Amino acid sequence: MKLFKQTGLFLSAALLTFACGGPSETVETSEAKEVAEATGQALNLDMDATTISWRGYKPAGQHFGKIPATEGSLMVTGDEITGGKFTFDITGLKIEDLEEGSENYGKLWGHLQSPDFFDAANHPTATFEITGIEPFAAGDVIADMEQFETDNTPMAASELSPETPTHWISGNLTMRGTSKNIKFPAAVAMENGVVTAKAGFNIDRTEWGLSYGDEANAVDKAKDQFIYNTVSLMLDVKAN
């Protein structure tokens, strides 16, 4: 099955519904899909040139950082991407708005690793496996929607997306033992055997069981005592 036909592609992701023409603030999410058999040459992820950034929101503030990729590859035949799979180290998660080694850093890092969020003791890694790629057409839009307004309302989908997306990337994102298929726009290119990609999108963390402080509770919203379900992911990826 041809997933990509032009001089571009890619992905990744974590971790994190950009809907084609749909009014949604987080990525288009569905049940996990079958992965087609990939053929061709493997291009390995360049760990030094790849960053996966995250940003979480609550009315009183924001936290942000990175989750390192530990391994990954794209399968390429000519200028066509036929598949790809990537692994991310949840236990290696970094928090960049707090001083590493500080008490607050340790508390937040421990909470994110706990069963309230990633349950890293049982699920230390996350994976993304490509299931489909299609061109970003001229009529496609990245629609924004209203979110509960506070001083730290999550970034809009259109703010996160690359200025000129070239493709829609679909794939199975697995976190905390749950797999969901997500679809998001990316700006991708292939030149001299090197694939690069940039993407930014939102996910609804509760789709993967990260439900601590779920903003659905109206009482908590009234008191501003919740964590937004929306988490932003920003990807800058290179594979050789």
Side-chain angles (χ1 to χ4, degrees), residues 29-113:
T29 306
S30 62
E31 295 305 309
K33 298 181 180 180
E34 183 178 356
V35 178
E37 182 179 356
T39 60
Q41 177 186 6
L43 300 182
N44 293 322
L45 203 64
D46 184 338
M47 304 303 173
D48 293 332
T50 298
T51 59
I52 297 92
S53 303
W54 60 269
R55 183 177 291 268
Y57 308 86
K58 57 184 179 179
Q62 304 179 23
H63 292 296
F64 57 89
K66 290 184 172 63
I67 301 176
T70 57
E71 61 180 346
S73 64
L74 292 172
M75 298 301 296
V76 179
T77 299
D79 61 359
E80 299 175 16
I81 300 298
T82 61
K85 185 175 182 180
F86 312 88
T87 300
F88 308 96
D89 179 14
I90 298 300
T91 65
L93 178 147
K94 297 292 185 183
I95 305 164
E96 296 184 325
D97 61 287
L98 297 174
E99 182 180 355
E100 189 167 0
S102 68
E103 181 179 359
N104 286 338
Y105 186 106
K107 286 181 177 179
L108 178 57
W109 188 90
H111 198 193
L112 292 174
Q113 301 290 315

Side-chain angles (χ1 to χ4, degrees), residues 44-218:
N44 293 322
L45 203 64
D46 184 338
M47 304 303 173
D48 293 332
T50 298
T51 59
I52 297 92
S53 303
W54 60 269
R55 183 177 291 268
Y57 308 86
K58 57 184 179 179
Q62 304 179 23
H63 292 296
F64 57 89
K66 290 184 172 63
I67 301 176
T70 57
E71 61 180 346
S73 64
L74 292 172
M75 298 301 296
V76 179
T77 299
D79 61 359
E80 299 175 16
I81 300 298
T82 61
K85 185 175 182 180
F86 312 88
T87 300
F88 308 96
D89 179 14
I90 298 300
T91 65
L93 178 147
K94 297 292 185 183
I95 305 164
E96 296 184 325
D97 61 287
L98 297 174
E99 182 180 355
E100 189 167 0
S102 68
E103 181 179 359
N104 286 338
Y105 186 106
K107 286 181 177 179
L108 178 57
W109 188 90
H111 198 193
L112 292 174
Q113 301 290 315
S114 78
D116 282 346
F117 287 97
F118 287 107
D119 192 15
N122 295 309
H123 307 286
T125 62
T127 61
F128 181 86
E129 191 162 15
I130 294 171
T131 58
I133 302 163
E134 58 189 281
F136 190 94
D140 290 348
V141 296
I142 301 166
D144 294 328
M145 64 176 286
E146 291 186 7
Q147 296 209 53
F148 187 74
E149 291 288 339
T150 68
D151 290 339
N152 291 283
T153 304
M155 294 178 67
S158 59
E159 291 182 88
L160 290 164
S161 174
E163 186 174 346
T164 55
T166 58
H167 291 81
W168 291 98
I169 308 295
S170 300
N172 295 330
L173 174 61
T174 302
M175 296 189 295
R176 199 184 158 107
T178 297
S179 296
K180 296 284 185 177
N181 195 270
I182 64 174
K183 180 180 180 179
F184 55 86
V188 300
M190 178 184 291
E191 184 175 0
N192 298 325
V194 177
V195 176
T196 58
K198 293 182 182 296
F201 54 90
N202 290 321
I203 63 168
D204 180 345
R205 61 188 173 89
T206 64
E207 294 270 3
W208 288 268
L210 285 74
S211 299
Y212 180 84
D214 186 346
E215 67 175 288
N217 188 310

